[in-house]
Amino acid sequence: MRLALFLVAVQPGPTLVSPTPSPTPVNTFAANPFHVSFLLSTLIWLPVLAALIIAALPNPRGRNDRTIYLLAFWTNASLAFLALVAYNQAQLFSPSFQFEELIRWVPWLGISYHLGADGITIAMLLVGSLIGTVSVLASASIRERVREYFTLLLLLQASITGALCARDMFVFVLFWAAGLLPAALLLAGWGGPRRHEAAIRFLAYGAVGTAALLVALLLVYAATGGASFDMNVLANAALTPRVQLIAGLALVIAAATRLPLVPFQGWVRDALSEAPPGLAVMIAGIGMRLGGFMLLRLLISGLHDGSRLLAPLLGALAGITILYAALAAFRNDDVRKFGAYLAIIPGGLFALGLAGLTSISLLGAAFGLITGGLAAALAVGVTATIAERAQSRSLSVLAGLAPRMPKLAWLLVLAGLAVIGVPGMASFISEVFTFLGVFYTQPAAAFLAGLGMAAAVAVVAFTVQRVLFGRPRPDSPGASDASLAETWYLGLLVAALLWFGILPGGPKIGGQVTLFDEGIVNVLSNGSTDVASPYVPPAPPAPPTPSPSPSPSTSASPSASPGPSPSPSP
Amino acid sequence: MRTLTLLGPEAVVVAAAVASLLSPALRPRQRAWLPAAASLAVVLALGLELWFGAQVGTLFQGGFSQDRFALYAKGALLLTALIIVAATDWDPFTAPAGIGLTLLATFGGMVAASAGDLIGLWAGLELAGLSAAVLLGRTDRLAARQLLLASVGLGGLVAVGMALLAGSGGTTVLADLRGQLFQHSLTLPLALAALLVVGALTARLALAPWAGPLATGTAGIVLLKMAATTSALSPSWALYVPAVAAVAMVGGGLAALAARRPGPSLVGAGMVQLGWFLASLAVPDRFGIAAGLFLLSAYLLAAAGGPIALAALPHGLAGLAERGVGRAVAFTACYLSLAGVPPLAGFFGQFAVAAELARAGLFWLIALGVFGSALLLFAALRDVRLAFLTSPGEQVFAAPRDRLTFAGALLAAALVSVYGFLALPVSSLALQGAAAIGLR
């Protein structure tokens, strides 16, 4: 009895506060096949559970390596299925966050376990789970300490998913920082010859980013009276422009260490070129996008004055980053570093879209998170595979590979096209949206970025020509084409890029009935419309119309308040 | 009857300590059961504390006070003692003294946690300190002698400071003294007395590498109680405490980074976390002290488990996971918790302190703390990589296997891992604890 009283006194146990049931769209074929109450928690904690099972699995002399691999693969496949369910059930044209879960955690600090997903998050979750599956497939060649490898990989994936779903800043920071050590350990344990330097550099930049994020978070928390870490509360707080500027600057630094943006790009080259292919794909595909996602969610959504003040800086950094990545890719002689530099470009384009602060550029940026992740993952994945299959990383040794590895040759071409954004590839749409929006508000940055993209096109064309169709060197080591697992993981990325590129509005029967895919752009615009609404200029007052008999009902002008712009439905 | 129930946990711990100290009279085979029996006694004491500790009351004319603070602090100390007793690989010949002294140190901490007056506080502090010194003397006599000297010297300073405060306030009962001090204006003698107590207790925290978690935890508990009692005099240590905290946070991080062996690295990590704990005193209100209490318990669990997992490892960390997975997991979890890596206990505690510092506008202290913790990340990467990702090499013996030590190591790892998930009840109790010692 006394114990019971004590337990009541300290208010133990989670208190669930009105989780929103999974929404059900009405006009979608095969929508809502089943109901998952805690969909987002399942997406986060299922890989943790799998990681714990794998860690506890006895594996004497690697006898269970295959089982562990399959366990990791099916965990990711299940996650992809669940993410597809979330994507399929996402309610379009509903501005609120969906699949919300809210549990009080540390009430006196205003911390709650609050998860939620809007269109951007749902699309990111879908791509994140796809990248996770691809990452496991790319790790098929791991032979040493398989148990530890997949344990860490699943923990990394869970941390990224958690950060994507967080609606509480504490939860966001928790997951953001939790992924650092598993990634660094994967890099240090299974990376290339310079893995230790790469891991330390990765950790250093990650620590700087986390510190900057913490500073921004605590600054906003203190400025709002220290009542809550909930993003809804923080986003609606009235903060002075000075606080917004300082916090926004810290957020830009935090994001710049992840995306990355110049001058915080130092870790990318080493990390992506030394990491095992599975980790490289995970980092480039979704890990780096997390920086952009954070910027969109916290800076653009929450600090409107800060965003306006920092937009020129963000635009300049974006332009410089793209130009730097293209030039650095041109100057280096390592095929994996070439892939790593290409993977920087989508981050720059994303930042450019944010700097535009127009609804179309923000939609482009949000779409760029998806397409940039896929393109970057493809670029680092295919270059890592080429280096492995050709037994050399040197671009001066690798030449004339197309006849010897036709599949990889095609994939390299497609990776280059995906990064530079040619029509047919999903990245094309995001880049068009981005540039269309940015040229209005940040013409200088757009011009700089355009220059960088032109350089990137030249670099990709030159390198592809050299590696695939150049004259083979007689002393180059033997090369073989991609294995089945490699073809699958790279093929999945290409398929996703083509699917979203060709059918951004989703497949429709007779142009009316939506099939299983609502259309990535429609899902994304569900979130980006909300994000962009504060930046939409108020509609100009309607000119007075001469009327012979003015009456209140006919002379009323349309409302000038900024409302959400209609969602595009290509 | 009521007296007995309130004192039940203390009685069980003292009885177990005395029995353990007397157990050399037993045959060696019977002594082998001592760690298990002592662990059971600690579990029983913890159960009694949770069962009866929820009731609030005072005994011995205010000298013993059972409140939420005492409940929280004693619970944390008993869990720490359980980890130490269960996870340590005791030598059958020295186990009676080792376990007995560990339990005595726990008892000292419990006395301090429940103390309603200055005398009880000081007595508990000294009992824990002396037990820790004698415990260290079993393995390193020189260090034990130095620890004893330092403890006695600092204990003397604490006593002088407490006597000055009691003389000014006209009482030794903490609640009354607190009220009296609020009626005094801050004079130089009062400020010096408060600074003397806080300074000496802070210095006792710095003895953590030698004194161990129980004596350090006791010093932390006394420090929190004295900070609450002298919160009216907080301007006297408003500069000193943040400065020491900053030095501990940055210095500990640098020390961990520079360390060549895992032991010193762990010590550096502990110093960083103690720095965070001290930083919480820079906000001497209910929320600041609650954050400090919340972090202190996280520190105690990790500081107990980490060094034990490392003990008697002649070949260092290389390939520890292959030699003893329980030790490797416990070491990693405790180390990362001390480093403030999410989602382990230390991260939650440090974040709570950081939030309170932010509320108070002490951003420079947060920045230094984050810097110190960031330094620890590199040390953690190095050591965890050694433990899990390197080969133990040839001629390396496996770590001793014993069910109890394995369970103890896993208990430490489990506690620091689930701490954050239990943050709702734990942090609420910490807040109630801070309110119980008179803070608003």
Side-chain angles (χ1 to χ4, degrees), chain A residues 385-400:
Chain A
T385 310
I386 285 177
E388 209 168 287
R389 292 283 153 190
Q391 301 181 62
S392 174
R393 292 168 55 155
S394 171
L395 283 170
S396 51
V397 174
L398 299 172

Side-chain angles (χ1 to χ4, degrees), chain A residues 112-261:
Chain A
S112 54
Y113 176 78
H114 188 185
L115 306 178
D118 63 353
I120 300 170
T121 306
I122 289 170
M124 289 286 285
L125 286 174
L126 182 67
V127 172
S129 59
L130 175 71
I131 295 282
T133 311
V134 161
S135 171
V136 173
L137 286 173
S139 305
S141 59
I142 295 293
R143 293 284 177 269
E144 287 181 3
R145 303 182 301 272
V146 173
R147 185 174 57 177
E148 289 84 350
Y149 178 88
F150 283 108
T151 301
L152 290 170
L153 196 68
L154 286 167
L155 289 178
L156 173 62
Q157 191 181 355
S159 73
I160 293 171
T161 309
L164 288 176
C165 298
R167 292 295 299 150
D168 183 281
M169 276 303 299
F170 172 81
V171 179
F172 183 84
V173 172
L174 180 83
F175 284 117
W176 167 286
L180 277 181
L181 208 61
L185 283 170
L186 281 167
L187 195 47
W190 290 267
R194 297 186 64 242
R195 57 185 182 273
H196 296 309
E197 293 88 333
I200 285 172
R201 214 172 252 214
F202 173 82
L203 209 55
Y205 281 93
V208 168
T210 306
L213 183 60
L214 267 174
V215 166
L217 160 66
L218 291 172
L219 191 64
V220 174
Y221 175 70
T224 52
S228 176
F229 281 103
D230 197 292
M231 284 188 194
N232 294 339
V233 176
L234 296 181
N236 293 323
L239 300 172
T240 61
R242 187 164 164 260
V243 171
Q244 291 201 27
L245 181 65
I246 297 170
L249 200 58
L251 289 178
V252 169
I253 291 172
T257 60
R258 282 268 173 135
L259 266 171
L261 298 175

